[in-house]
């Protein structure tokens, strides 16, 4: 397949910073940043706690083109305070989404890399997350698809896990993770017997990209490569429109989730879930490459 | 957090139309913003750092930077999360290169 617009493939999405991801995924030279560094205040909450902030408060927003389509895009920087959503960080994303309602771009891309709310900012962060959720749904109701790309070191957890699931679709890499409470949160609250957050293999079997793809939580599993995320997003936008919101669809999804809870709720590990899904050798799943796993999923009973 | 302010004499560089930003405020790392300053042969630096009490080391690293690079005419802002002197030097070089890279 041909990556267009002078794009150079071969960059690990996981290793890249948020700004590098934007350069690598969007059409070359097309990104125009909104609220560039120095034009927006740094977090007053972090300053009050005597902590240095970041010029962009850990998220970069702007307009660009993707394969010639007009997109609005936000990229979270997981290396700054775990990609956490503080007041300014959240306001930037909400503003971008509201702009999407007014401008009706071809799509909105959220490059999610976040542990969720920035606890230092407490209620301001929580409110910001809820505003993002509302704004994502408003954008979708306006007929603009919102894609979540998940493949950074922080994954999509907490409120940003919910935001990702509110999007039209999620593209995830094997390295990506998606869940509500993070592994360390579960261990802290429920004890190590409930969940051993140091067991990285277990963490990925329960929250990782392959598991989420097999479960149908993510539309696409892509390689850990910015080119793969780019192509995955382009393919999705080529083949999907944004459907009208409907109560019927919502009820069907709710029913599906309830059935899933009954079917898998007692399991302790992805291995058990995969066996139940019909995977003949579940212990092999973590070793499969992306293409083999996609083929395996295609062969599973519906 | 500690706030530090420095001014160093430095050889004038080209005036660039851009603001350069590199690095991330992550553990052991820092972000550096470089834009055009007011005085052609001065490099003015403002630092916010999570590590207190390292003013002398900052001074030494930045003095070395300003002596060996055409950093005159720049205004530099740093947000630091405990980067080592070696990392600071490398990032300063990277940020200045980026700033001067598109100079006309």
């Amino acid at each position: 397949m041909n990556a267009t617009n002078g794009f150079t493939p071969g960059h690990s999405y996981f290793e890249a910073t948020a700004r590098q991801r934007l350069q690598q995924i969007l059409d070359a030279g097309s990104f125009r940043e909104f609220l560039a560094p120095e034009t927006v205040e740094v977090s007053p909450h972090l300053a009050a706690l005597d902590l240095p902030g970041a010029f962009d408060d850990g998220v970069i927003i702007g307009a660009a083109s993707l394969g010639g389509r007009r997109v609005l895009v936000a990229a979270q920087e997981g290396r700054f305070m775990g990609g956490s959503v503080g007041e300014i960080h959240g306001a930037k994303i909400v503003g971008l989404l509201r702009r999407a309602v007014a401008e009706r771009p071809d799509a909105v891309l959220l490059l999610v890399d976040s542990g969720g709310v920035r606890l230092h900012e407490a209620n301001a962060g929580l409110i910001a997350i809820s505003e993002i959720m509302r704004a994502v749904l408003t954008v979708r109701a306006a007929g603009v698809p919102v894609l979540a790309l998940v493949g950074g070191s922080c994954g999509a957890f907490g409120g940003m896990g919910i935001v990702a699931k509110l999007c039209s679709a999620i593209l995830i890499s094997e390295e990506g993770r998606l869940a509500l409470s993070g592994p360390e949160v579960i261990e802290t609250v429920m004890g190590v017997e409930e969940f051993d957050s140091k067991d990285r293999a277990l963490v990925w079997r329960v929250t990782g990209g392959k598991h989420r793809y097999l479960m149908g939580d993510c539309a696409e599993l892509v390689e850990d490569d910015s080119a793969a995320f780019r192509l995955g997003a382009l393919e999705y936008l080529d083949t999907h429109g944004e459907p009208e919101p409907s109560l019927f669809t919502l009820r069907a999804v709710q029913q599906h989730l309830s059935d899933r809870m009954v079917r898998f709720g007692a399991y302790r590990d992805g291995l058990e879930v995969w066996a139940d899904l019909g995977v003949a050798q579940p212990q092999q799943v973590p070793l499969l490459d992306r293409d083999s796993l996609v083929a395996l999923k295609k062969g599973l009973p519906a | 957090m500690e706030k530090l302010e420095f001014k160093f004499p430095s050889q004038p560089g080209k005036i660039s139309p851009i603001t350069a930003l590199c690095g991330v405020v992550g553990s052991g790392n820092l972000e550096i913003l470089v834009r055009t300053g007011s005085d052609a042969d001065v490099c003015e630096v403002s630092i916010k750092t999570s590590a207190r009490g390292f003013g002398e080391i900052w001074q030494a690293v930045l003095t070395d930077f300003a002596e060996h690079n055409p950093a005159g005419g720049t205004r530099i802002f740093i947000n630091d999360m405990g980067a080592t002197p070696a990392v600071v030097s490398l990032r300063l070089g990277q940020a200045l290169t980026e700033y001067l890279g598109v100079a006309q």
Side-chain angles (χ1 to χ4, degrees), chain A residues 85-113:
Chain A
V85 179
E87 186 173 13
I88 291 172
H89 182 120
K92 286 173 75 176
I93 298 176
V94 171
L96 183 86
L97 291 163
R98 289 183 183 162
R99 186 176 182 129
V101 175
E103 285 188 356
R104 310 287 167 108
D106 296 319
V108 176
L109 305 182
L110 299 181
L111 279 55
V112 178
D113 192 355

Side-chain angles (χ1 to χ4, degrees), chain B residues 9 18-20 28 30 32 43-44 66 70 78-79 81 85 89 91 93 96-98 104:
Chain B
I18 66 156
T19 298
L30 75 169
I32 300 182
C43 168
E44 189 177 352
I78 294 175
N79 291 319
M81 201 76 96
S89 293
R91 279 265 182 262
L96 186 66
T97 304
E98 223 168 272
Q104 282 149 9

Side-chain angles (χ1 to χ4, degrees), chain A residues 223-287:
Chain A
E223 297 280 5
D224 172 37
D225 187 324
S226 294
F229 273 99
R230 173 185 166 87
L231 290 176
L234 284 171
E235 276 174 18
Y236 181 89
L237 294 174
D238 275 342
T239 49
H240 296 76
E242 181 63 24
E244 292 260 330
S246 91
L247 196 55
F248 177 80
T249 313
L250 273 183
R251 287 206 167 114
V253 171
Q254 180 62 34
Q255 187 59 49
H256 169 73
L257 290 173
S258 302
D259 295 347
R260 182 166 121 170
M261 190 65 198
V262 172
R263 182 175 170 188
F264 303 123
Y267 294 148
R268 311 279 306 161
D269 195 313
L271 292 167
E272 296 167 279
V273 176
W274 305 336
D276 194 326
L277 285 171
V279 178
Q281 293 181 298
Q283 69 282 0
Q284 290 298 312
V285 165
L287 305 176

Side-chain angles (χ1 to χ4, degrees), chain B residues 25-100:
Chain B
V25 193
S27 181
N29 204 340
L30 75 169
E31 71 176 349
I32 300 182
L33 185 149
V34 183
R35 64 166 165 78
T36 306
S38 49
D39 202 339
D41 41 23
V42 171
C43 168
E44 189 177 352
V45 186
S46 302
I47 300 164
K48 290 179 184 173
T49 173
S50 61
R52 292 170 172 278
F54 289 90
E56 281 178 30
I57 295 182
W58 280 106
Q59 170 128 35
V61 170
L62 290 164
T63 302
D64 184 68
F65 168 75
E67 270 177 18
H68 293 99
N69 294 279
T74 61
R75 184 79 180 86
I76 297 179
F77 297 89
I78 294 175
N79 291 319
D80 170 61
M81 201 76 96
T84 60
V87 171
V88 175
S89 293
L90 286 166
R91 279 265 182 262
L92 281 166
Q94 182 189 3
L96 186 66
T97 304
E98 223 168 272
Y99 171 76
L100 296 175

Side-chain angles (χ1 to χ4, degrees), chain A residues 17-20 37-38 42 46-47 49-56 77-81, chain B residues 1-2 19 21 24-27 29 31-33 35 48-50 52 77-81:
Chain A
T17 65
R19 286 181 187 276
Q20 288 167 338
E38 281 203 295
V42 299
L46 293 179
L49 292 168
D50 218 20
L51 292 166
F55 291 116
D56 51 27
E77 176 51 70
R79 288 170 180 82
F80 175 64
M81 313 213 80
Chain B
M1 182 168 66
E2 188 164 326
T19 298
L21 177 67
V24 173
V25 193
S27 181
N29 204 340
E31 71 176 349
I32 300 182
L33 185 149
R35 64 166 165 78
K48 290 179 184 173
T49 173
S50 61
R52 292 170 172 278
F77 297 89
I78 294 175
N79 291 319
D80 170 61
M81 201 76 96

